Amino acid sequence: MVTFSTNATQFMSLALKLARKGQYGVQSNPMVGCVITKNDEIIAQGYHQKFGAAHAESNALAEINHQANDATLYVTLEPCSHQGKTPPCAQTIIDSGAKEVIIAMLDPNPLVGGKGVAMLEDAGIVVKIGLLESEAKYLNRAFIKKMTTGLPFVTCKIAMSLDGKTAMSSGESQWITGEAARLDVQKLRANHQAIMTGSGTVLADNPSMTVRLNDVNVKPLRVVVDGKNQITDTTLNIFSTDAETQVFNMSNSKLNNAGKLVLSDILSQLAAQDINSVLLEAGPGLIGAMVDAGLVNEFIIYTAPILMGSDANSMVDLVIKKMDDKLSLNIQDIRMIGEDIKITAALK
């Protein structure tokens, strides 16, 4: 088992921090950071900033004119070995004269998948793998999910009261959470390539489903699941020019034996459009159907310090009649956002 020094761990931690800076620009590419050291001193650093632009390794090497003789590179993802929109990073590292490359995780992309490591080792470069691997995998969990399963990673966002209610029975729901939580939702939207909702929510609330942040210019695809072909009014906010919208209905999606849309087929179609991450913002019906189909990977639940009572709708329509059938969640993070509680939890 490879062991790493305290300094090495700190350098990789910085590389992961750099990688996160690409969250709004890399789109379907992974977030990657790179730190270059010599004699345990940082001499360069970089990250993948934008889809189609230079990768992290190239950006870091550019800071030292691609001269890394006897240096060590800390990279959060295995350097690529193939020619894509940019040259292969493994060859760029070889040409720089680096002596060692420490990698957090291997690339799940079958075009790479160990080939980058093999190129480096064949060139006489020492390669070590696995430093802060779990943190690196969590950072790029959406990229990994699509590469390994062919489906995007789905995060379900819910705003609810302490008693688990999301709207009054009349449909009234604004606002359950406070301003700080609503701003956090905008950042959450900006971190996803698509925002999915149902036709019922569109007709009841007429939402825009866009990112409204002054310093961020991203436009996730708006996805509407319309199993009853109800969406015909093109003046609805969901069809504004602020972002593109795709409606999935009975004419363009697979149907099951009951005549309902196959939700996994919708996700497959999105994956075919190079979408890694989907934010589900919907009513309890669609959320329940997605959970029941095993298509939700993560919940982000904003819980307000209010009670809405029995004449209100629950967060999810899910028929569970026995305790043995309950769904267990793994809580990954709990924090305060203003006066509200933000819970991040994954399905076990």
Side-chain angles (χ1 to χ4, degrees):
M1 181 178 178
V2 180
T3 58
F4 299 97
S5 68
T6 300
N7 282 348
T9 302
Q10 291 175 343
F11 296 143
M12 187 63 80
S13 181
L14 174 58
L16 286 166
K17 185 177 180 180
L18 289 167
R20 292 186 194 96
K21 294 175 70 174
Q23 61 187 334
Y24 299 138
V26 299
Q27 298 180 34
S28 60
N29 282 352
M31 291 173 275
V32 183
C34 177
V35 171
I36 305 177
T37 68
K38 197 168 185 177
N39 299 322
D40 267 351
E41 296 289 336
I42 296 173
I43 60 173
Q45 54 189 323
Y47 67 97
H48 182 36
Q49 300 176 18
K50 189 176 180 180
F51 179 81
H55 289 183
E57 302 92 324
S58 293
N59 284 332
L61 287 166
E63 288 193 350
I64 51 174
N65 297 317
H66 292 268
Q67 300 300 311
N69 293 331
D70 296 324
T72 297
L73 275 73
Y74 294 84
V75 190
T76 59
L77 182 70
E78 177 185 7
C80 61
S81 57
H82 64 290
Q83 177 73 45
K85 291 182 173 60
T86 60
C89 291
Q91 188 60 54
T92 301
I93 294 170
I94 293 168
D95 294 341
S96 76
K99 69 172 183 179
E100 183 179 28
V101 178
I102 297 178
I103 301 167
M105 62 168 287
L106 295 177
D107 194 333
N109 185 342
L111 292 175
V112 185
K115 298 183 180 71
V117 169
M119 281 184 66
L120 295 172
E121 291 180 332
D122 288 346
I125 294 174
V126 175
V127 178
K128 297 177 182 177
I129 305 166
L131 178 56
L132 299 184
E133 182 179 27
S134 60
E135 290 87 344
K137 286 182 175 179
Y138 185 79
L139 177 68
N140 281 310
R141 57 198 183 281
F143 174 75
I144 295 170
K145 171 76 187 298
K146 201 195 80 165
M147 279 293 170
T148 56
T149 71
L151 295 176
F153 188 97
V154 178
T155 297
C156 179
K157 166 258 166 182
I158 296 172
M160 71 176 194
S161 62
L162 272 176
D163 54 346
K165 306 298 182 179
T166 58
M168 302 307 297
S169 58
S170 63
E172 181 186 0
S173 61
Q174 296 182 337
W175 294 102
I176 292 176
T177 55
E179 186 175 342
R182 297 199 296 274
L183 175 60
D184 197 67
V185 169
Q186 296 302 315
K187 296 175 183 178
L188 183 63
R189 287 180 176 179
N191 272 307
H192 288 78
Q193 291 176 268
I195 304 170
M196 176 185 284
T197 194
S199 56
T201 297
V202 170
L203 295 175
D205 300 338
N206 194 23
S208 296
M209 307 295 279
T210 54
V211 174
R212 297 182 289 278
L213 292 172
N214 293 332
D215 56 344
V216 176
N217 182 28
V218 294
K219 299 180 179 181
L221 174 69
R222 296 176 293 195
V223 176
V224 181
V225 179
D226 183 18
K228 298 180 181 178
N229 289 8
Q230 300 180 96
I231 305 300
T232 57
D233 182 1
T234 57
T235 66
L236 290 166
N237 290 336
I238 203 76
F239 295 113
S240 70
T241 57
D242 299 315
E244 293 185 13
T245 300
Q246 191 166 355
V247 179
F248 289 93
N249 53 34
M250 299 177 75
S251 65
N252 60 13
S253 306
K254 289 183 180 178
L255 304 179
N256 60 23
N257 293 333
K260 294 184 177 181
L261 301 186
V262 177
L263 297 172
S264 59
D265 172 62
I266 293 174
L267 293 182
S268 292
Q269 291 191 53
L270 294 176
Q273 298 174 48
D274 274 341
I275 289 175
N276 298 342
S277 57
V278 174
L279 181 62
L280 177 63
E281 292 191 55
L286 180 55
I287 292 175
M290 288 284 287
V291 171
D292 195 49
L295 299 175
V296 173
N297 302 106
E298 179 180 78
F299 286 97
I300 293 184
I301 303 171
Y302 297 89
T303 305
I306 60 173
L307 301 175
M308 293 173 61
S310 57
D311 194 23
N313 298 326
S314 297
M315 59 178 274
V316 56
D317 286 345
L318 197 60
V319 178
I320 299 176
K321 296 188 176 182
K322 297 185 299 181
M323 282 296 291
D324 287 346
D325 296 332
K326 64 184 182 296
L327 295 179
S328 297
L329 303 178
N330 178 26
I331 295 179
Q332 299 169 323
D333 186 67
I334 299 177
R335 65 184 63 198
M336 296 298 298
I337 304 291
E339 295 183 349
D340 303 311
I341 302 170
K342 179 183 179 181
I343 301 171
T344 302
L347 280 163
K348 287 185 178 179

